[in-house]
Amino acid sequence: MSKKIFSGVQPTGNLHLGNYLGAIKNFVNLQNNPKNFCIYCVVDLHAITVKQDPFELKKNIRETAAAFIASGLDYKKSIIFNQSLVPAHTEVSWILSCVARMGWLNRMTQFKEKAGKDKEKASVGLYIYPILMAADILLYDATHVPVGEDQKQHLELSRDIANKFNLEFNSTNFFIVPEPLIQKNFARIMSLKDGSKKMSKSDPSELSRINLNDSSDEILNKIKKAKTDNEPLPDNENDLSKRPEAENLLGIYSSLSDQSISKTINEFSGKNFSEFKVMLADLVVNKILPISSEINKILKDEKFIDKVLSDGAEKANEIASKKISNIKKIIGF
Ligand code: TYM
């Protein structure tokens, strides 16, 4: 079956192994199936829900686009653009804000995590951010949305919004109700310092994550210092449930080598972490370093990146402006 794919990544600093294994690697696989039509967006409007330095933001938009391309996204096969270049995203976001219910947003766990204790001081944008995400997806009639596990709840909200709009305006199937594409394994890569926390850009410890532009020395050091327990590696999957750090490192190894976790367990069962870490570091360096050097190469040509993004935006705009004019007709504008 052919799929219409949409997904986005925030340009808020270095992309890490979690973004790559949880999302971008999947973007590339989906793109490489010629039956799929793929749109990948650098979601800069989402980024400003927390304070950004304008100079850094511009740099991060280019870096995220460069990371897309360096990871294997091809602007000739997929539409690659940044969100702020297509005004329909903000326009539809407002319209959908009038469809979504406060109660739905109040349940969003990511807002609670990001806003922390002082909710009163969080931006309104951070609160309604999942509605902008719904606008991104629904504007393009996306049928499938590849994301990591942490975005599952936001996807469910997009589905609720699509259904409510269709029902309220008597427009069956006008908005396509999108399906999340969350990988069964490795959809949640955890921090290298704490196997119960997801790997995240906002973790203050650099040692908690491997960035896509880390040098080999940085990768080796981070894996060497990754938290483990004191047992040798297990000989079956069931033993992993109480060993989150072992599960995460074995998961990273499996995902990068495209093999099942049970195959990785067979390879390393009974070995010590120190031995396993040497192999893991080797694998991460082999897989990530080519991406990192490609990112740096692409970043030297800002004009090229800007052109990829603006050409992509032109194509996106064509699709989005048709959809928004239909939305307006339905609403009565
Ligand atoms: P963002 O920028 O936080 O993350 C980008 C993608 O990376 C995945 N991800 C992870 N996957 C596995 N393990 C991790 N530790 C990990 N950390 C991040 C995320 O699940 C995501 O797929 N709201 C979105 C961006 C967005 C979007 C959209 C996505 C805006 N509009 C429309 C899909 C469709 C976000 O903040 O992702």
Side-chain angles (χ1 to χ4, degrees):
M1 189 187 96
S2 68
K3 299 184 176 100
K4 225 171 181 190
I5 308 289
F6 183 97
S7 198
V9 175
Q10 289 199 57
T12 42
N14 292 326
L15 296 191
H16 52 69
L17 201 57
N19 299 126
Y20 179 69
L21 295 178
I24 300 174
K25 191 167 166 245
N26 211 8
F27 296 177
V28 178
N29 289 336
L30 289 162
Q31 163 198 267
N32 291 340
N33 178 345
K35 280 194 185 148
N36 296 335
F37 178 78
C38 301
I39 307 178
Y40 296 119
C41 185
V42 178
V43 289
D44 48 9
L45 295 169
H46 277 94
I48 62 164
T49 54
V50 295
K51 195 167 187 318
Q52 300 291 335
D53 173 82
F55 176 80
E56 285 295 314
L57 180 61
K58 202 169 193 79
K59 187 168 142 264
N60 287 335
I61 292 168
R62 290 193 178 115
E63 257 180 43
T64 305
F68 278 4
I69 299 166
S71 305
L73 290 186
D74 178 350
Y75 60 94
K76 292 190 197 110
K77 291 186 188 161
S78 301
I79 296 182
I80 299 172
F81 74 109
N82 57 313
Q83 200 183 21
S84 63
L85 290 180
V86 179
H89 290 252
T90 25
E91 227 179 328
V92 174
S93 180
W94 172 255
I95 293 168
L96 299 182
S97 294
C98 302
V99 175
R101 303 291 96 179
M102 294 281 285
W104 301 354
L105 284 178
N106 287 340
R107 284 197 285 277
M108 297 294 115
T109 52
Q110 198 169 82
F111 173 76
K112 290 178 196 158
E113 277 162 28
K114 286 197 175 170
K117 285 201 186 90
D118 207 352
K119 275 212 297 268
E120 299 287 312
K121 286 203 176 134
S123 73
V124 177
L126 190 65
Y127 180 65
I128 59 170
Y129 149 140
I131 302 178
L132 177 60
M133 183 162 159
D136 299 340
I137 299 166
L138 302 183
L139 251 183
Y140 297 96
D141 294 330
T143 57
H144 293 82
V145 183
V147 282
E149 172 79 30
D150 62 320
Q151 296 298 321
K152 191 170 172 213
Q153 198 185 29
H154 292 162
L155 246 291
E156 277 157 13
L157 185 87
S158 302
R159 292 169 58 86
D160 288 342
I161 293 176
N163 278 321
K164 186 159 195 294
F165 183 99
N166 290 347
L167 196 71
E168 220 162 67
F169 292 98
N170 228 337
S171 316
T172 316
N173 296 334
F174 174 71
F175 278 135
I176 305 292
V177 181
E179 294 289 337
L181 283 180
I182 299 174
Q183 303 176 88
K184 269 203 210 86
N185 301 311
F186 332 124
R188 199 173 180 86
I189 303 295
M190 309 310 273
S191 155
L192 298 180
K193 287 276 134 202
D194 177 351
S196 66
K197 267 178 31 191
K198 76 166 186 179
M199 186 177 284
S200 153
K201 292 172 207 176
S202 52
D203 193 314
S205 167
E206 267 296 321
L207 290 175
S208 69
R209 64 184 159 263
I210 289 168
N211 297 317
L212 292 190
N213 61 358
D214 277 348
S215 67
S216 58
D217 282 350
E218 282 167 324
I219 295 174
L220 295 177
N221 183 42
K222 286 175 181 179
I223 291 185
K224 202 164 141 199
K225 295 203 169 129
K227 186 177 170 200
T228 58
D229 52 43
N230 297 322
E231 306 283 312
L233 287 156
D235 58 13
N236 70 79
E237 256 180 86
N238 295 340
D239 287 358
L240 285 179
S241 60
K242 291 195 188 85
R243 302 180 61 187
E245 284 82 18
E247 182 172 30
N248 190 39
L249 295 181
L250 288 165
I252 292 174
Y253 188 95
S254 310
S255 181
L256 280 174
S257 48
D258 287 314
Q259 66 182 28
S260 67
I261 206 133
S262 61
K263 182 143 190 282
T264 307
I265 289 177
N266 281 343
E267 245 177 76
F268 293 103
S269 86
K271 297 223 160 80
N272 290 325
F273 273 106
S274 53
E275 239 174 300
F276 170 63
K277 278 181 168 182
V278 174
M279 303 293 285
L280 176 64
D282 217 37
L283 178 65
V284 178
V285 167
N286 278 329
K287 294 282 178 178
I288 298 303
L289 222 57
I291 298 179
S292 157
S293 48
E294 191 61 21
I295 292 177
N296 290 327
K297 204 167 101 195
I298 296 168
L299 279 175
K300 290 202 177 99
D301 193 349
E302 289 185 350
K303 276 202 185 123
F304 163 74
I305 302 176
D306 293 351
K307 175 97 171 71
V308 167
L309 291 173
S310 62
D311 285 355
E314 210 173 293
K315 292 182 203 150
N317 216 359
E318 219 171 281
I319 305 172
S321 51
K322 279 192 198 127
K323 189 76 180 176
I324 197 154
S325 81
N326 287 331
I327 294 173
K328 286 179 176 171
K329 269 189 221 146
I330 289 177
I331 289 180
F333 287 158

